[in-house]
């Protein structure tokens, strides 16, 4: 009988660009690992745990990936939760976020998957933020628990990056900057975490998102720190929006040093590019941030 665990490991390994040697060294022989990936033999639970660590995949993540690769139903409730989270935050409706948290709590009680507990905390933290009138400094117990969790993790996995991305907008600046530094350290140790995928943003996208808080709080020191790290990052066409936004942030930094219409010329160029690209979501984000930066920097209205 052909087994499907090994081929699933192989699929994830190849997608993430890891060599077979990096997986089997010190664990099993080359020939046995080849047979394992072919589905000819199984392996022990201890070996599977080690293989998921080498792939930088937590066990809960592995279960989800495994189910998806093998066409197994991961549950309508998960899709329902994602819908509630997206709608609740977009519509600024804490009731939908609270419902998402309730479902995740029930799933965690049934299956004890840590990701369900974290999802429940995230939904509760976002709901509490809205219920507090979107005041970042207000008490928020689930947010505090999530921050403690991220601070305590020696190794981050994909779900931890997604978690940071989802709660960045409700973090105070000192906490945000600390977690950004921690995240970049994790990326340095495991570059795959910074490449981005369907489930997690790239490091370029994470840094770009972080500017929202610095701009809304009008903290120039934080803005400068973020820009220094952002400018040091490699960019490419793959990260088009972060690349364009970096031009915008640098233009306002130049304007801050010496206000002039010429300093903001790149902003108009970027606006033209994003408008022509017919990307409504990016255009909305750009327009919102430019409006906030203009107000902060005292740019005269046209």
């Amino acid at each position: 009988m052909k087994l499907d665990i090994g081929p699933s490991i192989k699929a994830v390994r190849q997608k993430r660009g890891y060599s077979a040697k990096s997986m089997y060294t010190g664990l099993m022989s080359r020939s046995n690992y080849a047979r394992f990936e072919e589905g000819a033999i199984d392996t022990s639970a201890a070996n599977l745990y080690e293989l998921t660590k080498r792939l930088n995949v937590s066990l809960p993540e592995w279960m989800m990936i495994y189910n998806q690769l093998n066409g197994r139903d991961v549950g309508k409730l998960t899709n329902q939760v994602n819908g509630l989270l997206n709608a609740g935050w977009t519509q600024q409706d804490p009731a939908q976020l609270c419902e998402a948290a309730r479902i995740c709590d029930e799933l965690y009680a049934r299956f004890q998957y840590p990701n369900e507990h974290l999802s429940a905390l995230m939904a509760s933290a976002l709901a509490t933020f809205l219920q507090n009138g979107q005041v970042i400094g207000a008490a928020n117990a689930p947010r505090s628990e999530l921050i403690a969790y991220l601070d305590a993790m020696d190794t981050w996995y994909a779900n931890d990056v997604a978690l940071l991305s989802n709660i960045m907008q409700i973090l105070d600046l000192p906490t945000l900057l600390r977690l950004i530094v921690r995240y970049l350290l994790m990326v340095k140790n495991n570059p795959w975490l910074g490449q981005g995928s369907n489930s997690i943003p790239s490091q370029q996208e994470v840094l770009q998102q972080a500017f929202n808080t610095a701009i809304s709080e009008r903290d120039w020191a934080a803005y400068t720190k973020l820009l220094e790290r952002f400018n040091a990052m490699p960019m490419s066409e793959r990260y088009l929006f972060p690349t364009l936004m970096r031009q915008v942030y640098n233009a306002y930094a130049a304007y801050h040093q010496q206000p002039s219409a010429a300093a903001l010329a790149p902003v108009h160029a970027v606006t033209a590019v994003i408008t022509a690209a017919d990307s409504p979501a990016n255009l909305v984000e750009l327009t919102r941030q430019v409006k906030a930066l203009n107000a902060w920097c005292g740019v005269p209205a046209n």
Side-chain angles (χ1 to χ4, degrees), residues 142-164:
R143 177 183 61 195
S144 297
E145 189 170 343
L146 290 171
I147 292 169
Y149 163 80
L150 290 173
D151 278 334
M153 291 294 289
D154 292 329
T155 300
W156 281 20
Y157 298 96
N159 60 301
D160 301 316
V161 177
L163 176 60
L164 173 62

Side-chain angles (χ1 to χ4, degrees), residues 53-64:
K53 285 175 61 180
R54 295 183 185 192
L55 288 171
N56 196 253
V57 175
S58 67
L59 286 178
E61 286 179 289
W62 163 249
M63 290 302 299
M64 294 178 64

Side-chain angles (χ1 to χ4, degrees), residues 258-277:
Q258 187 172 350
S260 69
L264 296 181
V267 178
H268 305 301
V270 167
T271 301
V273 170
I274 293 180
T275 301

Side-chain angles (χ1 to χ4, degrees), residues 1 3 49 52 60 66 73 80 96-97 99 113 121 157-158 171 174-175 204 251 292:
M1 180 180 68
L3 303 169
Y49 177 64
T52 59
Y66 178 74
D73 183 13
Q80 183 182 356
Q96 295 188 71
L97 294 168
E99 176 64 9
Y113 283 180
L121 287 173
Y157 298 96
L171 298 176
T175 301
Q204 290 82 0

Side-chain angles (χ1 to χ4, degrees), residues 8-45:
S8 298
I9 287 287
K10 180 180 180 180
V12 178
R13 174 180 68 76
Q14 291 180 330
K15 183 177 181 179
R16 299 193 173 188
Y18 294 149
S19 68
K21 185 176 182 180
S22 69
M23 301 297 293
Y24 67 71
T25 300
L27 196 63
M28 63 180 82
S29 69
R30 177 181 177 180
S31 59
N32 276 349
Y33 185 74
R35 294 178 64 205
F36 169 68
E37 283 201 344
E38 290 171 359
I41 62 172
D42 203 351
T43 191
S44 67

Side-chain angles (χ1 to χ4, degrees), residues 28-139:
M28 63 180 82
S29 69
R30 177 181 177 180
S31 59
N32 276 349
Y33 185 74
R35 294 178 64 205
F36 169 68
E37 283 201 344
E38 290 171 359
I41 62 172
D42 203 351
T43 191
S44 67
N47 278 357
L48 178 59
Y49 177 64
E50 178 60 29
L51 289 169
T52 59
K53 285 175 61 180
R54 295 183 185 192
L55 288 171
N56 196 253
V57 175
S58 67
L59 286 178
E61 286 179 289
W62 163 249
M63 290 302 299
M64 294 178 64
I65 293 170
Y66 178 74
N67 284 333
Q68 291 167 355
L69 287 172
N70 292 284
R72 301 180 182 182
D73 183 13
V74 295
K76 293 181 180 179
L77 286 177
T78 300
N79 293 331
Q80 183 182 356
V81 167
N82 290 336
L84 288 167
L85 287 171
N86 291 331
W89 186 251
T90 302
Q91 299 169 18
Q92 304 287 275
D93 180 7
Q96 295 188 71
L97 294 168
C98 288
E99 176 64 9
R102 183 192 67 78
I103 294 172
C104 288
D105 278 332
E106 287 187 356
L107 289 172
Y108 180 64
R110 288 169 58 191
F111 303 111
Q112 294 297 300
Y113 283 180
N115 283 0
E116 304 295 357
H117 178 56
L118 293 173
S119 294
L121 287 173
M122 180 187 70
S124 296
L126 294 172
T128 301
F129 175 73
L130 294 179
Q131 291 164 343
N132 287 338
Q134 302 187 35
V135 177
I136 290 179

Side-chain angles (χ1 to χ4, degrees), residues 245-288:
M245 290 305 295
R246 183 163 71 175
Q247 295 182 43
V248 171
Y249 300 142
N250 277 298
Y252 280 99
Y255 186 90
H256 180 80
Q257 295 295 324
Q258 187 172 350
S260 69
L264 296 181
V267 178
H268 305 301
V270 167
T271 301
V273 170
I274 293 180
T275 301
D278 191 24
S279 178
N282 287 343
L283 184 58
V284 168
E285 176 71 2
L286 169 68
T287 303
R288 185 184 62 78

